[in-house]
Amino acid sequence: MNERTGQGTALVTGSSSGIGLGIAHALAAAGHDVMLNGIEAEADVAAQRDRLAETHGVRTAYARADLTDPHAVDDLVGEAEDRLGPITVLVNNAGVQHVAPIGEFPDDKWELILALNLSAAFRAIRAVVPGMTARGHGRIVNVASAHGLVASPGKAAYVSAKHGLLGLTKTAALETAEHGVTVNAICPGYVWTPLVESQIPDTAKARGMTEAEVKRDVLLAAQPTREFATTAQIGALAAFLCSDAAAQITGAALPVDGGWTAQ
Ligand code: NAD
């Protein structure tokens, strides 16, 4: 436990960049010590980790771990608890995507997407739930997607994994409901991340469009507000779900998608 804030340890998978890093900042701002994870080398994440600790005055650690390896998930949970103390918040955020028509969808991409986006979340929940229920308190947040609620062509594995993650969320919520543990999913639409930003110039060139047109008419075509969500907005919702104020929200799938799934 963090002696200054009274909060415990938050493990955020896939938090070396993008949405996971935004969630890590929001949880650190709320006083949680944070275990970061990703596939990058420790040295490449050191500056981010230092900034997190210095900005919010919490303890941080980083573990490089490929969570498609079933044993890596248990090892990561063990390492987080050894270094920072019992996990009171788990955020399953690590995820990858591949786009191809179903008739051509490669086996290895199907296996990778299911392994990381769904199976790793199951294993992490399985690893932390006994401790959370024994202590009578815990918060689990799964980062799904608007694609957990609706489909798009070319995304068979991603849509299947994210729909599966919502089923896992509901089941875990019911199993832990009487033990002070909540389990919820956040369903982002398009979020402004370095990865999204880096794809825009090439798409603009390939389609003969301006970068503004790519944002509005390609990436945000399904998002009625025509604006990206931000990593800070996703982080703020995750931090709220982890607060005492959200104790009666469990088993929910909360869209942050500018109205996409209202259509
Ligand atoms: P990102 O590509 O910016 O970051 C991915 C993170 O996952 C990194 O920290 C990376 O190190 C880690 N990672 C990748 N492979 C891994 C592996 N095998 N084991 C452990 N960690 C691994 O991703 P992002 O865009 O911030 O997306 C984060 C989550 O949000 C994903 O689950 C994604 O499906 C979901 N999401 C993203 C968007 C979006 O617009 N960016 C929209 C909806 C949902």
Side-chain angles (χ1 to χ4, degrees), residues 12-21 23 37-40 45 62-69 76 92-97 112 116-117 120 143-147 158 162 165 186-196 228-229 231 234 256 260:
V12 186
T13 69
S15 47
S16 56
S17 68
I19 292 172
L21 186 59
I23 292 173
N37 151 258
I39 49 173
E40 295 77 10
V45 182
Y62 173 76
R64 181 187 202 174
D66 176 354
L67 301 183
T68 61
D69 171 356
L76 175 62
N92 287 305
N93 168 75
V96 282
Q97 163 75 289
L112 170 69
L116 185 60
N117 298 30
V143 180
S145 168
H147 282 117
Y158 188 79
K162 295 297 192 185
L165 189 55
I186 298 177
C187 297
Y190 282 95
V191 182
W192 187 247
T193 62
L195 194 70
V196 170
F228 290 93
T231 59
I234 308 291
V256 186
W260 175 349

Side-chain angles (χ1 to χ4, degrees), residues 58-131:
V58 297
R59 296 183 301 151
T60 62
Y62 173 76
R64 181 187 202 174
D66 176 354
L67 301 183
T68 61
D69 171 356
H71 302 295
V73 180
D74 284 331
D75 291 349
L76 175 62
V77 168
E79 185 176 345
E81 300 208 319
D82 287 348
R83 293 175 72 176
L84 296 175
I87 293 172
T88 51
V89 170
L90 166 67
V91 181
N92 287 305
N93 168 75
V96 282
Q97 163 75 289
H98 181 78
V99 180
I102 205 160
E104 299 162 18
F105 210 93
D107 246 342
D108 60 340
K109 295 293 183 193
W110 172 271
E111 298 295 346
L112 170 69
I113 290 168
L114 269 288
L116 185 60
N117 298 30
L118 182 56
S119 301
F122 157 68
R123 293 191 181 104
I125 292 171
R126 184 177 61 184
V128 302
V129 153

Side-chain angles (χ1 to χ4, degrees), residues 218-236:
V218 180
L219 294 175
L220 296 175
Q223 205 143 300
T225 57
R226 298 280 190 261
E227 287 183 27
F228 290 93
T230 66
T231 59
Q233 289 165 349
I234 308 291

